[in-house]
Amino acid sequence: RFGLLEDEMKRGRFDESVALLNRLLEREPGNATLLHFRGEARRQRAADGDAALALADFDAAVQTGVEPLVTYRSLGYLYRALHRTDEARTAWRRYLEQAPDAPDADLIKQTLEEMKS
């Protein structure tokens, strides 16, 4: 299911993705994976109000205690877009601590270095 949802995000049709995830969340309220992906769809869509909604979804996913690790990566990007750099750093560091060999680890490390200057 996680892979299917990743593929859904790659389609780039975020309005449709949010609608799909809303339907799935009606059946499975509080599902951390679904909350993560709805937050990610909202983050990437970036319409008015989406940042706050994405943040709420990511926070709800984290509150479950079984959030996908990539939620922290997404939180980092969202916080950076919101100019909340300390929170972005914290989220990305948590991601890297738990996934030091992630395919995008070098990119995240580079971004963290660039944020220092």
Side-chain angles (χ1 to χ4, degrees):
R1 182 184 222 183
F2 193 90
L4 291 172
L5 292 169
E6 284 180 317
D7 289 345
E8 176 66 22
M9 291 299 103
K10 289 175 187 171
R11 290 178 54 238
R13 296 182 169 228
F14 302 116
D15 290 337
E16 293 174 12
S17 297
V18 169
L20 169 66
L21 289 157
N22 284 339
R23 286 193 305 273
L24 292 171
L25 280 160
E26 284 176 12
R27 290 186 226 153
E28 298 177 56
N31 180 298
T33 299
L34 298 175
L35 287 164
H36 163 77
F37 279 104
R38 186 173 68 180
E40 184 62 12
R42 288 171 164 166
R43 181 187 75 80
Q44 290 189 46
R45 180 174 65 183
D48 285 344
D50 274 351
L53 293 170
L55 187 56
D57 282 338
F58 293 144
D59 285 344
V62 168
Q63 292 303 312
T64 68
V66 292
E67 70 279 3
L69 180 56
V70 292
T71 302
Y72 295 101
R73 179 185 64 202
S74 296
L75 274 167
Y77 284 115
L78 180 59
Y79 284 135
R80 184 178 70 172
L82 296 171
H83 306 289
R84 293 166 61 175
T85 54
D86 288 341
E87 291 160 298
R89 284 187 198 103
T90 299
W92 279 330
R93 285 184 186 127
R94 182 155 186 189
Y95 173 65
L96 291 173
E97 285 171 7
Q98 296 182 36
D101 298 324
D104 59 353
D106 289 339
L107 175 64
I108 300 293
K109 289 175 190 174
Q110 179 182 347
T111 303
L112 284 168
E113 280 299 313
E114 291 170 0
M115 290 174 72
K116 285 182 182 178
S117 23

